[in-house]
Amino acid sequence: YDYEAVRAAVNAYLRGESFGAAKPVETKARYKITTPSGVNVREGAGKRYAVRKAYPMGTTVTVTQTASEDGNLWGKTSDGWFAIRYQGAAYASKV
């Protein structure tokens, strides 16, 4: 066995992330941005990625894929990725 690969898979599982082949959690769900400050849209699912633009509060977007990263939930749109749920706070809700 490849110890590092097994360790990485177990840690991903314990964080609630998928491991192995990535599969979208949802397809084409609509979300409305609910946080007063809006959300940043990033190049990837996570804060380590560069910001492309921002969605203001009230914006409704179509999410084509979701991803879990460090216990946070990210949604992919045609513009990039944004936090649906981050550090326990909801930034968007399904419409």
Side-chain angles (χ1 to χ4, degrees), residues 22-83:
K23 297 177 186 173
V25 176
E26 302 171 17
T27 56
K28 300 213 178 189
R30 304 222 357 116
Y31 282 85
K32 185 173 185 177
I33 307 304
T34 57
T35 185
S37 60
V39 295
N40 287 327
V41 180
R42 298 177 176 273
E43 292 178 0
K47 282 192 75 172
R48 68 184 174 279
Y49 293 97
V51 175
R52 287 184 173 175
K53 66 182 291 182
Y55 291 143
M57 181 180 179
T59 303
T60 300
V61 295
T62 299
V63 171
T64 57
Q65 181 180 347
T66 58
S68 178
E69 193 266 349
D70 291 332
N72 303 306
L73 182 63
W74 294 81
K76 183 178 183 183
T77 70
S78 60
D79 297 315
W81 293 82
F82 73 97

Side-chain angles (χ1 to χ4, degrees), residues 3-34:
Y3 174 79
E4 286 301 315
V6 171
R7 185 182 63 76
V10 169
N11 286 337
Y13 174 78
L14 293 173
R15 288 190 303 267
E17 299 172 4
S18 64
F19 55 94
K23 297 177 186 173
V25 176
E26 302 171 17
T27 56
K28 300 213 178 189
R30 304 222 357 116
Y31 282 85
K32 185 173 185 177
I33 307 304
T34 57

